[in-house]
């Protein structure tokens, strides 16, 4: 918002996401423990790829979720392979 206030906002450099999620106390921790969520630390290039971050030849440019799980390796990579091909519907047009 500070960039908007300074009249520095560049729409081609922005990604807007709409949605809502809410949890009761402890719910997210329980869901992570059950394997519903796969928390991960990822590079800004992965998170910002649809806002113009560089995409390498080894990246799965059509499925961010699968790409992040593949980078996590091990069992996560197997999950990504099992569910790949569904694409990432959050991509910019």
């Amino acid at each position: 918002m500070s960039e908007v206030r300074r009249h520095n906002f560049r729409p081609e450099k922005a990604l807007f996401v709409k949605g809502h999620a809410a949890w009761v106390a402890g719910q997210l921790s329980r869901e992570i423990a059950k394997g519903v969520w796969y928390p991960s630390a990822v590079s800004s290039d992965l998170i910002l790829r649809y806002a113009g971050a560089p995409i390498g030849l080894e990246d799965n440019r059509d499925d961010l979720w699968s790409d992040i799980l593949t980078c996590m390796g091990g069992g996560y990579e197997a999950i990504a392979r099992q569910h790949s091909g569904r694409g990432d519907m959050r991509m910019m047009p």
Side-chain angles (χ1 to χ4, degrees), residues 10-56:
R10 296 174 55 199
E12 70 276 7
K13 297 289 184 182
L15 172 65
F16 291 95
V17 180
K18 178 184 174 190
H20 173 78
W23 290 271
V24 296
Q27 179 182 351
L28 182 57
S29 295
R30 287 190 304 275
E31 290 181 7
I32 290 170
K34 288 180 181 179
V36 175
W37 298 94
Y38 307 120
S40 173
V42 298
S43 74
S44 58
D45 284 348
L46 283 171
I47 299 302
L48 299 174
R49 72 165 45 172
Y50 301 128
I55 298 175

Side-chain angles (χ1 to χ4, degrees), residues 1-20:
M1 291 305 298
S2 60
E3 294 300 311
V4 172
R5 285 188 208 104
R6 286 187 238 139
H7 303 287
N8 266 348
F9 178 70
R10 296 174 55 199
E12 70 276 7
K13 297 289 184 182
L15 172 65
F16 291 95
V17 180
K18 178 184 174 190
H20 173 78

Side-chain angles (χ1 to χ4, degrees), residues 59-75:
D59 294 331
N60 182 344
R61 64 179 62 241
D62 297 322
D63 197 335
L64 177 62
W65 180 86
S66 177
D67 211 8
I68 291 172
L69 286 176
T70 299
C71 289
M72 291 169 66

